[in-house]
């Protein structure tokens, strides 16, 4: 049977000033299929889908929905054409219930029938395999439940074409499998589904076809069964790329950081970290896994002197003279003045890591590099160092003096990681260093972290992609609701075991 197109794009172009986001892109989205949209950072994936969602309007080209040429000028036009987009950042009102969020903005004659709305939501849930309580408040929900609300919201409005932007970014493996089961049920019901993702394993597992964009241009659409991650990456990047993460065994590991019974409270006195204990060794990569909001950020900030400690100790073991210093109650400046080499790549890169109004050179000047022993050449003035980071990490910027806020998220991340590594740390904490980065850039960062490991640095890597954690890390510390639920050997533990530990605070599971 001939496949039927739900959407056809013909020669669609979109520019922002002198930047061409999409250039003459033509592709089809079929009914009853799951299409993955792949591309490096800045390749134009989200921009293209935002034109279908009515957020952007194309400069030129044609859009056909169910064989009829249409004009999409607003999200309302998109909804009227039964197109629904689930964005990476949810647009929900925390104080409302699921049902209230789902019908928010809809116009109905007379008063809303809450029972009828709830019944319809339950019918949609039963049909596709969702698990949702319509009366549950958003602030009481896990991330996966909030995502479910967003998906049901567009289905409630009658969407037949669904676009999901990075839908598994903050889900556990178990939650991802549940989502995939739901998507397969929707596909079987004839829905057309587009997934924007960087995770090649998931592309191979869920999609029927894969469309590849590169630098704003359409490259190809491939049948998933006829391709593999290596071929897809080469199409995305334009040349051969090695997709292997090295994991040399730690050589002569030395204790660098010792955290004992660490407890931290939020501004309301609630424990965000509860009796955390672990060690980080020089010459190893210690991974930290957990559902979003399990205490990862607070742990990194407490070690870096940015979050107050209620109880416990953080002991730094010097590389130079084997002295031991307790970092608790010391400011970041005091920690540096002690001669403690502690580098921190925070989760909020522009909020905490860099000054957005300054260029690369100015941001290099925020730290001292006179004792650097990292990946980059020692004792370079800030301008030279900025140029070196630009060249080695392939940072795309008009100039090293262009304000970093004008760079794409991926390029901002490269500037930050490069600067921190250049400081020659003894302990390098990297919180979500590849979040939002494309495959090529991500592997560059992995190689840099391994470079630091080989120099005897204790690397603490906070990540959300469990496949990467299992390939990159020597040990994995799992946090759940602010507690340590397990410390596992990265070489022997399974993804399923890590996923279970991420959702339970019970008996500690340790793999030697």
């Amino acid at each position: 049977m001939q496949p039927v197109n739900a959407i056809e794009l013909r020669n669609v172009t979109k520019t922002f000033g002198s930047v061409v986001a999409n250039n003459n892109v033509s592709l089809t989205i079929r009914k009853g299929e799951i299409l993955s949209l792949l591309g490096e950072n800045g390749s134009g994936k989200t921009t293209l889908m935002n034109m279908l969602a009515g957020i952007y309007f194309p400069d030129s080209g044609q859009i056909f929905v169910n064989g009829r040429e249409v004009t999409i000028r607003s999200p309302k036009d998109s909804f009227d054409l039964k197109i629904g987009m689930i964005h990476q950042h949810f647009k929900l009102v925390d104080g409302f219930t699921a049902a209230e969020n789902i019908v928010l903005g809809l116009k109905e004659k007379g008063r809303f029938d809450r029972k009828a709305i709830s019944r319809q939501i339950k019918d949609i849930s039963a049909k596709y395999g969702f698990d949702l309580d319509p009366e549950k408040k958003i602030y009481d929900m896990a991330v996966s439940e909030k995502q479910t609300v967003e998906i049901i919201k567009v289905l409630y409005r009658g969407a037949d074409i669904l676009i999901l932007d990075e839908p598994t970014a903050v889900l556990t493996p178990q939650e991802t499998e549940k989502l995939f089961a739901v998507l397969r049920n929707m596909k079987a019901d004839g829905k057309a589904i587009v997934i924007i993702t960087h995770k090649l394993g998931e592309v191979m597992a869920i999609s029927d076809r894969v469309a590849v964009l590169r630098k704003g241009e359409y490259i190809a659409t491939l049948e998933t069964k006829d391709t593999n991650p290596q071929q897809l990456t080469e199409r995305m990047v334009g040349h051969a790329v090695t997709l292997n993460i090295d994991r040399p065994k730690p050589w002569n590991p030395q204790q660098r950081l010792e955290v004992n019974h660490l407890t931290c409270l939020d501004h309301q006195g609630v424990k965000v970290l509860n009796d955390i204990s672990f060690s980080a060794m020089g010459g190893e990569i210690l991974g930290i896994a957990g559902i979003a909001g399990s205490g990862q950020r607070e742990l990194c900030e407490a070690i870096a002197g940015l979050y107050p400690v209620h109880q416990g100790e953080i002991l730094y073991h010097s590389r130079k003279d084997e002295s031991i210093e307790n970092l608790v109650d010391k400011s970041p400046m005091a920690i540096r003045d002690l001669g403690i080499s502690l580098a921190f790549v925070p989760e909020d890169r522009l909020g905490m890591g860099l000054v957005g109004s300054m260029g690369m050179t100015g941001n290099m000047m925020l730290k001292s590099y006179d004792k650097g022993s990292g990946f980059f050449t020692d004792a370079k003035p800030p301008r030279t160092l900025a140029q070196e980071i630009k060249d080695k990490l392939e940072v795309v910027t008009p100039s090293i003096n262009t304000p970093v806020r004008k760079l794409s998220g991926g390029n901002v991340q490269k500037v930050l990681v490069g600067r921190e590594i250049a400081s020659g740390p003894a302990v390098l904490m990297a919180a979500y260093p590849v979040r939002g980065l494309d495959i090529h850039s991500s592997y560059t960062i992995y190689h840099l972290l391994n470079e630091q490991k080989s120099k005897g640095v204790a690397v603490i890597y906070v990540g959300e992609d469990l496949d990467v954690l299992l390939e990159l890390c020597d040990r994995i510390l799992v946090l759940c609701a602010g507690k340590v639920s397990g410390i596992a050997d990265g070489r022997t533990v399974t993804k399923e075991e890590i996923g279970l530990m991420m959702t339970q605070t019970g008996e500690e599971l340790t793999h030697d």
Side-chain angles (χ1 to χ4, degrees):
M1 196 170 98
Q2 191 71 19
V4 180
N5 290 337
I7 288 180
E8 183 183 356
L9 302 175
R10 292 185 193 168
N11 304 315
V12 171
T13 295
K14 179 65 183 175
T15 60
F16 298 95
S18 61
V19 177
V20 181
N22 294 122
N23 185 22
N24 284 325
V25 174
S26 299
L27 62 83
T28 59
I29 303 165
R30 297 171 180 169
K31 293 182 180 181
E33 81 158 359
I34 298 174
L35 176 76
S36 286
L37 194 55
L38 270 184
E40 290 190 278
N41 293 112
S43 62
K45 305 182 298 294
T46 301
T47 299
L48 189 67
M49 291 300 103
N50 276 337
M51 284 188 272
L52 292 179
I55 295 168
Y56 296 143
F57 188 74
D59 298 340
S60 62
Q62 298 169 287
I63 299 174
F64 294 83
V65 177
N66 296 321
R68 179 172 63 90
E69 186 173 0
V70 300
T71 301
I72 305 174
R73 295 187 179 275
S74 68
K76 184 183 182 303
D77 290 345
S78 183
F79 271 129
D80 290 344
L81 293 165
K82 299 191 172 183
I83 301 170
M85 185 165 178
I86 294 89
H87 298 271
Q88 199 171 349
H89 302 289
F90 305 141
K91 303 176 189 306
L92 301 170
V93 180
D94 275 358
F96 284 13
T97 65
E100 288 166 341
N101 270 279
I102 287 165
V103 300
L104 193 62
L106 290 177
K107 291 181 180 178
E108 289 190 13
K109 292 179 181 177
R111 295 183 63 184
F112 278 99
D113 185 340
R114 296 183 70 94
K115 287 185 178 177
I117 292 166
S118 188
R119 188 163 56 247
Q120 196 171 341
I121 291 169
K122 287 177 180 175
D123 288 344
I124 293 171
S125 298
K127 182 175 183 179
Y128 297 115
F130 291 109
D131 184 14
L132 182 69
D133 176 2
E135 300 308 313
K136 191 171 183 178
K137 299 275 191 185
I138 299 299
Y139 58 68
D140 284 330
M141 291 185 177
V143 176
S144 60
E145 291 176 290
K146 293 177 184 177
Q147 185 182 68
T148 297
V149 175
E150 289 281 23
I151 297 172
I152 293 179
K153 192 200 298 185
V154 299
L155 291 172
Y156 188 91
R157 286 161 166 75
D160 287 328
I161 301 157
L162 287 88
I163 304 163
L164 294 92
D165 191 0
E166 299 283 354
T168 65
V170 290
L171 301 184
T172 66
Q174 288 83 352
E175 289 167 340
T176 298
E177 273 307 312
K178 282 176 71 174
L179 173 64
F180 283 1
V182 167
L183 295 180
R184 291 185 184 106
N185 289 338
M186 289 196 285
K187 177 181 104 170
D189 192 42
K191 305 286 188 193
I193 300 165
V194 182
I195 294 180
I196 303 171
T197 182
H198 288 121
K199 299 181 181 179
L200 291 177
E202 294 177 359
V203 168
M204 301 305 296
I206 190 66
S207 62
D208 300 291
R209 294 188 304 149
V210 187
V212 181
L213 299 182
R214 186 196 312 148
K215 295 180 180 176
E217 299 194 347
Y218 171 76
I219 301 301
T221 300
L222 307 162
E223 296 283 337
T224 308
K225 60 181 173 56
D226 297 331
T227 188
N228 59 54
Q230 186 69 46
Q231 290 176 358
L232 291 174
T233 304
E234 289 174 10
R235 295 264 189 168
M236 286 163 54
V237 178
H239 56 79
V241 176
T242 302
L243 290 183
N244 294 321
I245 301 177
D246 292 328
R247 182 167 49 189
K249 287 198 170 184
W251 179 79
N252 189 29
Q254 302 284 326
Q255 186 154 261
R256 288 283 161 259
L257 203 65
E258 184 184 352
V259 176
N260 295 320
H261 307 293
L262 183 68
T263 297
C264 294
L265 310 178
D266 66 11
H267 62 281
Q268 295 177 321
V270 177
K271 290 181 181 178
V272 289
L273 293 174
N274 188 355
D275 198 30
I276 302 286
S277 295
F278 67 92
S279 291
M281 312 296 286
E284 77 159 6
I285 298 179
L286 174 69
I288 298 182
I291 297 168
S294 294
Q296 303 96 309
R297 179 178 61 82
E298 291 84 357
L299 177 59
C300 288
E301 290 183 8
I303 295 169
L306 298 167
Y307 200 97
V309 173
H310 178 64
Q311 284 181 337
E313 55 185 10
I314 303 168
L315 303 179
Y316 171 80
H317 296 249
S318 172
R319 289 177 80 166
K320 295 176 181 175
D321 55 12
E322 298 185 359
S323 62
I324 299 174
E325 287 282 351
N326 190 351
L327 307 188
V328 172
D329 294 332
K330 287 185 170 61
S331 68
M333 189 72 75
I335 289 172
R336 192 189 71 181
D337 290 345
L338 281 169
I340 296 170
S341 302
L342 192 64
F344 178 39
V345 182
E347 186 177 349
D348 180 6
R349 47 197 176 225
L350 273 181
M352 285 175 60
L354 299 170
V355 177
S357 59
M358 291 166 61
M360 287 181 64
T361 302
N363 274 288
M364 295 306 117
M365 293 173 67
L366 296 177
K367 281 198 147 191
S368 170
Y369 296 97
D370 57 334
K371 297 186 178 72
S373 59
F375 179 78
F376 302 95
T377 310
D378 298 346
K380 293 286 187 182
R383 179 178 291 276
T384 309
L385 179 63
Q387 188 62 50
E388 196 169 348
I389 289 173
K390 177 181 182 293
D391 295 341
K392 288 193 175 179
L393 296 189
E394 300 175 9
V395 177
V396 179
T397 177
S399 157
I400 56 174
N401 295 317
T402 299
V404 295
R405 69 164 182 268
K406 294 187 176 180
L407 308 186
S408 72
N411 286 299
V412 170
Q413 195 77 314
K414 289 180 187 178
V415 173
L416 181 54
V417 172
R419 187 194 71 185
E420 296 302 322
I421 287 175
S423 68
V427 177
L428 173 66
M429 289 189 295
Y432 308 106
V434 299
R435 175 179 280 172
L437 292 191
D438 56 64
I439 302 293
H440 185 47
S441 300
S442 297
Y443 276 79
T444 301
I445 300 298
Y446 303 147
H447 294 319
L448 285 176
L449 295 179
N450 266 319
E451 186 87 25
Q452 293 304 294
K453 170 183 168 179
S454 69
K455 294 177 185 293
V457 174
V459 180
I460 298 176
Y461 174 87
V462 184
E464 51 204 359
D465 188 332
L466 293 190
D467 290 315
V468 170
L469 281 161
L470 291 170
E471 266 191 87
L472 179 69
C473 301
D474 300 289
R475 291 183 301 136
I476 301 171
L477 171 85
V478 185
L479 291 177
C480 179
K483 293 182 179 180
V484 175
S485 59
I487 300 175
D489 185 324
R491 291 171 172 78
T492 59
V493 72
T494 67
K495 192 158 76 167
E496 289 69 31
E497 287 173 319
I498 295 289
L500 282 173
M501 284 190 271
M502 286 167 69
T503 56
Q504 63 187 26
T505 56
E507 186 178 336
E508 184 170 316
L509 173 63
T510 305
H511 291 257
D512 295 318

